[in-house]
């Protein structure tokens, strides 16, 4: 890892592979394990950077594909780079656009060279290659950038996933060659679908390249939770212990606990803001619909133990009223709370690992059937 990036494991659970660490970047430290909010278009939806900082968030994500389409990486660079453009002073990670291309299955064509797709904005034909993805990310200027990968669908045959995984490795080699900014850490992505032999092969091949960090990708694309758990439990321990491990697109309580127990450090998911826009709060491991009648005249805080702005200043009845009225403030308050909830959840896990109480305090999630 370059001198401006480092990862230090400070403590490990005596009964699992869970660990508490410190990831250093040019824009500050990230205390792991840590949930990272998603700011697709250089904004975490309905939340200002000042409000976001108050949630305890340390590192956030933005999306290469979406920022390339709007406003364009040149505009972001002209605004001083992604940090200055969006007013966020902490670490930022940009994904490569590979997952978004995967989701455009009706509009794209994959070849060895890259992916050609039709822009959903104006119908323009766009070609995204490993080199182009890295060029865009270099221009955006995030602290951590992701290699361009192919995310295989679920279900898919072993043969098809093997070919896809091998292509992802060849694309990674091209990403490494194209990468021009040493102040940005390039992470590789372990693919392999639900096939554990392919996951193991990919992890071995990628770790030989000695990258600053590694991600587990291609999960939460339709496979059942038990398969996601199996993939993570198999793959995470194969990644270098002195590098950060990032599980892409996962952010439920149970999934994070299972992954942390396997040695994963970083997570991201759109759940907290997406659910907020549907009037949903995440409270103490549960999912609450604030439209429910029982909240209409409930004047207690959403969570009396939560330090967030929403819980400290407003009642369930008020937020329920805002949701029913479709007031924008409802989505802001619920987003602030939901992000705070998931960041606090991972922070509590970190504290439990440091005191070697991870299993005592969070072990029940490993055997729970609860999704959230």
């Amino acid at each position: 890892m370059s001198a401006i990036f480092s990862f230090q494991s400070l403590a490990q659970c005596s009964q699992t592979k869970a660990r508490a660490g410190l990831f250093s970047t040019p824009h500050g430290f990230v205390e792991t394990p840590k949930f990272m909010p998603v700011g697709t278009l250089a904004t975490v939806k309905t939340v200002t950077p000042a409000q976001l900082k108050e949630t305890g968030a340390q590192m956030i994500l933005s999306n290469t594909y979406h920022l390339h389409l709007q406003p364009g990486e040149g505009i972001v660079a002209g605004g001083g780079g992604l940090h200055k453009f969006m007013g966020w002073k902490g670490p930022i990670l940009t994904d490569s656009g590979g997952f978004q291309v995967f989701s455009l299955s009706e509009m794209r064509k994959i070849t060895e060279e890259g992916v050609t797709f039709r822009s959903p904005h104006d119908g323009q034909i766009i070609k995204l290659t490993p080199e182009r993805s890295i060029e865009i990310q270099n221009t955006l200027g995030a602290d951590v950038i992701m290699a361009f990968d192919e995310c295989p669908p679920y279900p898919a045959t072993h043969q098809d996933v093997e070919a896809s995984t091998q292509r992802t490795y060849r694309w990674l080699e091209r990403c490494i060659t194209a990468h021009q900014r040493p102040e940005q850490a390039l992470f590789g992505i372990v693919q392999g679908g639900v096939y554990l032999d392919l996951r193991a092969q990919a992890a071995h091949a990628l770790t030989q390249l000695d990258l600053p960090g590694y991600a587990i990708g291609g999960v939460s694309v339709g496979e059942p939770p038990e398969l996601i758990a199996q993939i993570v439990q198999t793959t995470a321990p194969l990644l270098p212990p002195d590098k950060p491990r990032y599980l892409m697109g996962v952010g439920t309580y149970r999934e994070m606990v299972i992954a942390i127990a396997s040695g994963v450090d970083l997570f991201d998911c759109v759940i907290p803001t997406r659910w907020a826009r549907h009037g949903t709060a995440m409270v103490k491991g549960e999912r609450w619909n604030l439209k429910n009648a029982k909240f209409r005249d409930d004047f207690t805080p959403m969570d009396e133990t939560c330090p967030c702005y929403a819980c400290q200043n407003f009642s369930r009845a008020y937020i329920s009223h805002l949701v029913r009225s479709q007031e924008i403030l409802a989505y802001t308050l619920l987003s602030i709370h939901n992000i705070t909830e998931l960041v606090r959840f991972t922070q509590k896990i970190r504290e439990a690992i440091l005191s070697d109480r991870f299993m005592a305090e969070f072990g029940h999630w490993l055997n729970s059937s609860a999704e959230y």
Side-chain angles (χ1 to χ4, degrees):
M1 194 176 296
S2 76
I4 53 178
F5 291 95
S6 65
F7 179 80
Q8 182 182 7
S9 179
L10 303 177
Q12 182 165 323
C13 171
S14 59
Q15 298 165 278
T16 71
K17 295 179 175 63
R19 60 187 191 168
L22 199 62
F23 178 38
S24 175
T25 81
H27 285 87
F29 292 98
V30 183
E31 297 172 329
T32 65
K34 182 68 72 176
F35 175 80
M36 303 181 291
V38 176
T40 301
L41 279 163
T43 175
V44 175
K45 293 186 186 300
T46 74
V47 178
T48 70
Q51 292 168 330
L52 189 59
K53 185 176 180 180
E54 289 185 357
T55 68
Q58 294 176 326
M59 187 172 192
I60 64 173
L61 271 74
S62 284
N63 181 263
T64 298
Y65 164 82
H66 289 290
L67 288 173
H68 173 61
L69 295 181
Q70 171 62 38
E73 62 275 13
I75 297 293
V76 175
L82 194 52
H83 293 85
K84 186 175 182 181
F85 186 66
M86 68 181 295
W88 176 253
K89 296 180 180 180
I92 300 176
L93 180 152
T94 47
D95 61 11
S96 67
F99 179 80
Q100 284 66 40
V101 168
F102 156 80
S103 67
L104 296 170
S105 56
E106 302 297 320
M107 305 167 61
R108 51 96 167 133
K109 179 181 179 182
I110 301 175
T111 66
E112 183 65 27
E113 180 62 19
V115 182
T116 303
F117 61 94
R118 190 175 297 276
S119 168
H121 287 262
D122 56 14
Q124 178 185 355
I125 298 297
I126 297 175
K127 188 171 186 179
L128 195 58
T129 64
E131 291 80 8
R132 188 74 181 101
S133 173
I134 295 300
E135 180 185 11
I136 295 168
Q137 293 186 83
N138 282 168
T139 303
L140 291 172
D143 300 89
V144 174
I145 65 176
M146 301 304 299
F148 190 62
D149 63 327
E150 182 180 348
C151 181
Y154 175 83
T157 67
H158 188 281
Q159 182 178 3
D160 286 345
V161 175
E162 183 175 25
S164 170
T165 304
Q166 291 174 351
R167 180 181 291 124
T168 287
Y169 179 81
R170 294 192 295 272
W171 282 359
L172 171 59
E173 291 182 311
R174 289 164 58 186
C175 287
I176 293 171
T177 301
H179 184 33
Q180 297 295 316
R181 296 184 63 177
E183 71 274 22
Q184 294 178 296
L186 173 62
F187 281 23
I189 304 174
V190 178
Q191 290 288 356
V194 298
Y195 301 103
L196 302 184
D197 62 323
L198 296 181
R199 290 281 179 176
Q201 291 170 23
H204 176 74
L206 265 62
T207 55
Q208 301 306 302
L209 299 174
D210 193 28
L211 297 168
Y214 296 88
I216 301 172
V219 298
S220 294
V221 294
E223 68 276 70
E226 57 269 21
L227 282 182
I228 296 177
Q230 193 176 53
I231 291 166
V232 174
Q233 290 166 339
T234 299
T235 307
L238 301 177
L239 302 176
D242 60 338
K243 306 289 178 68
R245 302 164 179 158
Y246 162 36
L247 179 58
M248 306 179 76
V250 164
T252 66
Y253 300 97
R254 183 169 182 267
E255 286 177 330
M256 287 196 293
V257 172
I258 290 173
I260 289 169
S262 305
V264 173
D265 308 298
L266 298 168
F267 308 86
D268 80 281
C269 192
V270 298
I271 279 177
T273 51
R274 178 174 291 172
W275 284 3
R277 297 194 299 279
H278 289 86
T280 299
M282 307 177 76
V283 182
K284 298 178 180 178
E286 297 179 350
R287 182 179 177 181
W288 291 3
N289 182 354
L290 271 294
K291 296 176 185 176
N292 288 346
K294 65 180 181 179
F295 296 116
R296 291 180 73 110
D297 59 353
D298 185 342
F299 301 104
T300 58
M302 197 147 49
D303 180 352
E304 66 281 357
T305 69
C306 180
C308 83
Y309 175 75
C311 291
Q312 291 297 309
N313 291 278
F314 305 103
S315 68
R316 298 171 184 177
Y318 179 66
I319 298 175
S320 177
H321 152 66
L322 294 178
V323 170
R324 292 167 179 274
S325 304
Q326 297 184 321
E327 285 287 345
I328 294 173
L329 182 58
Y331 314 136
T332 295
L333 294 179
L334 286 171
S335 292
I336 288 171
H337 168 74
N338 288 347
I339 293 170
T340 302
E341 171 70 11
L342 289 186
V343 171
R344 283 179 73 215
F345 186 70
T346 51
Q347 181 63 32
K348 289 176 181 177
I349 291 177
R350 186 177 196 275
E351 293 166 0
I353 295 170
L354 288 170
S355 61
D356 202 13
R357 292 191 52 79
F358 173 73
M359 284 301 293
E361 297 181 19
F362 294 93
H364 64 281
W365 283 103
L366 299 176
N367 300 312
S368 171
S369 60
E371 183 179 351
Y372 310 113

